[in-house]
Amino acid sequence: MRTAIAVALVLALLAAVWAWLRERHGALRLQRQLDAASEELQRLQQACARLAPAGVVDRLVADHVDELTAMPAQRKVVTALFADLVGYTAMSERLDAAVLARVLNGYFQRMSDAIHEHRGHVSTFLGDGILAYFGALQPNPWQSADAVRAALAMRAAMADYNRELAREGLPTLNVGIGIHNGSGLVGLIGSRERMEYGFVGRTVNLAARVQALTRTHGVDILVTDAVRSELDATFRLDAMPAERVKGIAEPVVSYAVRERITTPDASPTQVSH
Amino acid sequence: MSSALAHVAWEPCFVEARQDRELETHARRRMGLPNPAVRYFAPAPWVARAAVDINPSFGLLIHLDLHTADLVGLVVSQENACRFCFAAVRAVLWFQGMDRERVLRVEQEIARPDLPAMVRATLDYARAQSRSGPTGAHGAWAALRGAGVSAGEAREIAYTVAVSDFSNRLHTALAIPPLPFERTPESLLMRLLRPLLGRVTGARRSRGSPVAAAMDLPERPYGRLIGAFGDSPIAPVLAHALDEMWASSHLSPRCKLLMFAVVSRGLPCEVCELEISRALQREGLDAAAVARLLTHLDGPELEPVERLLMSYARETLWYQPAVLQRHTRMLRDQLSPEQLIEAVGVAALANGICRMAAVVMDEPA
């Protein structure tokens, strides 16, 4: 009888251990699957971050809700920076496709780094052009100064890049940059199949027009009066003659950005006429 | 147990831990366990004390239950990608007896859209206060109150978010090593000690009880905010942390006020900016100078350290951990260790307080 009880106890113990091991094995398997799914999600999130601003992707993933309700479009004041390569078409006809792609990628990378470093985000690449926003994703009362600092950093990065290109015997590049700020509609905009975190309004149009004026005035960075009024004395600007541009009724006053000095000696922005 | 934040780039810690028996004993007595981060904050003792004393889990919450407070801490730490704080909250949940699978389920559940309305509203508000500041959080605050959360509970939720925002910035900016907490559930020693540690931490974690409300609100910034907490134990603890911060001498009061002003302008929090601007005028800066300094973050009136730290304060508003750590590391080369810890503490406190101040002060007591 005792033996039978002992055997029964041992069997019960073995059954309990077996059940525990089985459950643990199942839990570990589920854990591994969960970890793998989590890593896959992470990879997807990183891939998506190349297609949309990282903050937007993070928010959509964190909220786990429909993108239309997660980030409704709202009216905001945003600073738009539009940059375009000068003489790209002629250069593109002379260079081999692979070399051209390498030169362009190097240009886009350096310009994007300068924009991100100054709290902007690249909205889109338009051919050889770059459209970037400051103050669209998060409130930024210093967005105009950030955009102009980014433009100055882009100028410096371009000079470095041109030295690299020249060493390789490749043609150098020149960029024209236009900056304007104003109100517009910001958010995820588009169809159900294809959405984009964008900024819609006259501001973008005017930034592009001002960028085009860099060729007219023979300068590389132009800002509108709206941007100039928010800059301090450390920015040295030159007033340019007012010009008529397509789609804007009044002639557009713009200012060439010369440099930024680090010791302010006056309150209003320093403008030479 | 892999962490949802394991991928977040985190620099090696670039400040030295400094032994301070008094601070370490204070932390251990309050929290029940040694707090490994306290040594890093020792050069500015008020920062170390604030990191321990304002923690809502230790006798400060009257209305909000501690489990919801933990969830709020988890959500905000995830939002701010603070590996240290996220791992610390997970470790606390694990010490309390949750198995690893349950902790993972909790993390997954806080993202589920089918949560009970009040929990959902609480977590939505926590995210909104942390990510959008007071202006962006007004809608979520209304939803929180609309979901049936009482005024007292809502204020405690806002406070819990504020403390998480403070703690996240403090630990992230200085790159305090998260690994000891991240590896806690894997450590054999910790697994053996878990029941004991759970009892010790559980005994210290408690609900608070009302205290005598301060009759005379101080003539200093955020006096109204402290008053809004009425007879909650949060009021004296918050007042003490702020008093210690203003009194510490590693940075001038004007420098600290300018950092608070930058955070108020950047969020934006108009009610905070107004209080700070008045305090700056008492420090000798006229209203026009304050407005100009806040518009351009620069001006001839500024001392070099003020210029440096106004610029740093704005880096703490919205950040990627690696970028914030890079900026803080650059600051280390220009400040003494005491100034560095104080600067990070001021910026972190400004972010926490300004984010909650507008909603809490707007709410009728």
Side-chain angles (χ1 to χ4, degrees), chain A residues 31 35 42 119 142 146, chain B residues 2 7 104 131 294 314-315:
Chain A
Q31 180 61 55
D35 287 349
Q42 192 55 47
R119 305 167 199 85
W142 307 286
D146 281 346
Chain B
S2 75
H7 66 282
L104 280 170
R131 77 159 61 134
L294 290 181
R314 76 163 296 198
E315 301 297 342

Side-chain angles (χ1 to χ4, degrees), chain A residues 41 59-66, chain B residues 108 111-113 120:
Chain A
L41 183 66
R59 201 172 291 190
L60 288 175
V61 172
D63 287 357
H64 279 241
V65 286
D66 182 71
Chain B
Q108 287 152 12
R112 277 174 44 182
R120 179 83 194 157

